[in-house]
Amino acid sequence: AGSQIQGTAGIPRQSRRRKSLSIAYEPGQGDGAEPPAAPWEPRDWREQLERIRAMRSSRDAPVDEMGVHKCYDSSAPPQVMRYQVLLALMLSSQTKDQVTSAAMQRLRRHGLTVDNVLQMDEETLGQIIYPVGFWRNKVKYIKQTTAILKQKYGGDIPSTVEELVQLPGVGPKMAHLAMHIAWDSVAGIAVDTHVHRISNRLKWVKKETKYPEETRVALEEWLPRDLWKEINWLLVGFGQQTCLPVNPRCSQCLNRDICPAAKRF
């Protein structure tokens, strides 16, 4: 400290004043600024997560046996495999895994490739995918998206979320899952209705969210990135078996003593 005082002794008063003012506006330089607050994270979330892992250890939920990761032909060329992953995701919206899986099996028996789907008329495609939810709209989306993949991507699917969500019938959840499954890349958290519902029940969001995309943003603000890929699989199966949309099975849940929503059901 003594050497600093000596070093400034010859500086004119006006210069010294200017320097002290500039220092006063820098955070943490003796201006009384508080240290940055610790990042927000939900109460008990690590224990809740471990208990959900325990409840999901048997891997016997519909998503485990008939989810999108089980719907494509793993022996197909990579480009065909990725296309099948995307189609399975498009079919899965508003549709139970069992129905999606059955529709994918029928499509694969017809030869599920970009060229085959482009040659297929809409009526035939509709008959094959029925009764998936909103099947008429999905027929149009599948035909439009497949044509774009052929023209713009050489028959492959895009490798970024930004490009995937530009495809007809492909939303953010599908795009993130496509990145996970088809490209083995984690660009974000895939949030469907199960993840959205459970995140709000556990209060894994700072304030209640109304839409899955809001929940995705809220989760990504605090959840460690190495958990992003796992969280969809964990919570979807948990939502299918225990934390049901209506009449959740709280009495069977290992988190019932630390779940903010348990007492309401």
Side-chain angles (χ1 to χ4, degrees), residues 175-186:
H176 285 294
L177 280 176
M179 293 298 295
H180 293 182
I181 300 168
W183 293 109
D184 193 25
S185 173
V186 181

Side-chain angles (χ1 to χ4, degrees), residues 3-248:
S3 63
Q4 290 179 347
I5 292 171
Q6 292 169 5
T8 59
I11 299 176
R13 181 177 298 175
Q14 189 175 10
S15 297
R16 282 208 306 274
R17 185 180 298 118
R18 246 199 316 269
K19 186 171 183 181
S20 65
L21 284 173
S22 68
I23 292 174
Y25 285 96
E26 293 174 8
Q29 296 292 318
D31 61 351
E34 295 181 4
W40 179 87
E41 62 179 40
R43 180 180 178 182
D44 299 324
W45 77 269
R46 292 185 186 276
E47 190 170 0
Q48 291 166 342
L49 179 63
E50 284 304 318
R51 293 181 184 185
I52 293 172
R53 283 179 175 143
M55 288 184 279
R56 293 282 287 114
S57 60
S58 59
R59 296 173 177 259
D60 56 0
V63 69
D64 300 307
E65 299 169 354
M66 290 168 282
V68 168
H69 66 293
K70 295 280 191 178
C71 288
Y72 62 87
D73 180 3
S74 58
S75 66
Q79 187 167 306
V80 174
M81 178 273 290
R82 289 190 286 266
Y83 174 65
Q84 292 183 0
V85 168
L86 183 62
L87 253 63
L89 287 165
M90 294 174 72
L91 293 176
S92 70
S93 175
Q94 305 290 314
T95 304
K96 291 185 179 296
D97 288 330
Q98 298 91 324
V99 177
T100 300
S101 177
M104 282 296 293
Q105 289 176 19
R106 293 191 296 271
L107 280 170
R108 284 171 57 184
R109 284 197 292 269
H110 281 74
L112 186 48
T113 65
V114 165
D115 289 336
N116 284 348
V117 171
L118 285 175
Q119 293 168 11
M120 197 180 294
D121 61 72
E122 291 192 3
E123 183 179 356
T124 300
L125 181 57
Q127 291 171 350
I128 295 172
I129 69 170
Y130 179 85
V132 300
F134 303 98
W135 64 273
R136 289 185 180 86
N137 287 338
K138 289 177 183 177
V139 165
K140 296 175 183 176
Y141 292 148
I142 287 170
K143 293 289 283 186
Q144 292 168 0
T145 286
T146 304
I148 292 170
L149 299 180
K150 178 73 171 180
Q151 296 162 7
K152 191 173 179 181
Y153 298 98
D156 208 338
I157 73 170
S159 59
T160 67
V161 169
E162 291 74 20
E163 291 174 293
L164 283 163
V165 295
Q166 296 300 314
L167 297 170
V170 178
K173 180 210 75 173
M174 299 180 209
H176 285 294
L177 280 176
M179 293 298 295
H180 293 182
I181 300 168
W183 293 109
D184 193 25
S185 173
V186 181
I189 300 172
V191 177
D192 70 347
T193 55
H194 294 291
V195 179
H196 171 64
R197 177 179 73 255
I198 295 166
S199 295
N200 276 276
R201 284 180 177 174
L202 291 174
K203 296 203 180 298
W204 282 9
V205 290
K206 271 186 182 179
K207 58 181 181 179
E208 185 176 356
T209 54
K210 292 185 177 180
Y211 306 104
E213 189 62 5
E214 288 181 78
T215 303
R216 179 189 66 78
V217 173
L219 286 174
E220 288 178 5
E221 285 181 353
W222 68 267
L223 189 70
R225 196 179 182 92
D226 61 345
L227 299 175
W228 286 11
K229 189 172 183 178
E230 178 191 23
I231 209 69
N232 176 270
W233 166 80
L234 275 177
L235 296 190
V236 169
F238 179 54
Q240 290 175 335
Q241 294 182 308
T242 306
C243 199
L244 307 176
V246 180
N247 299 321

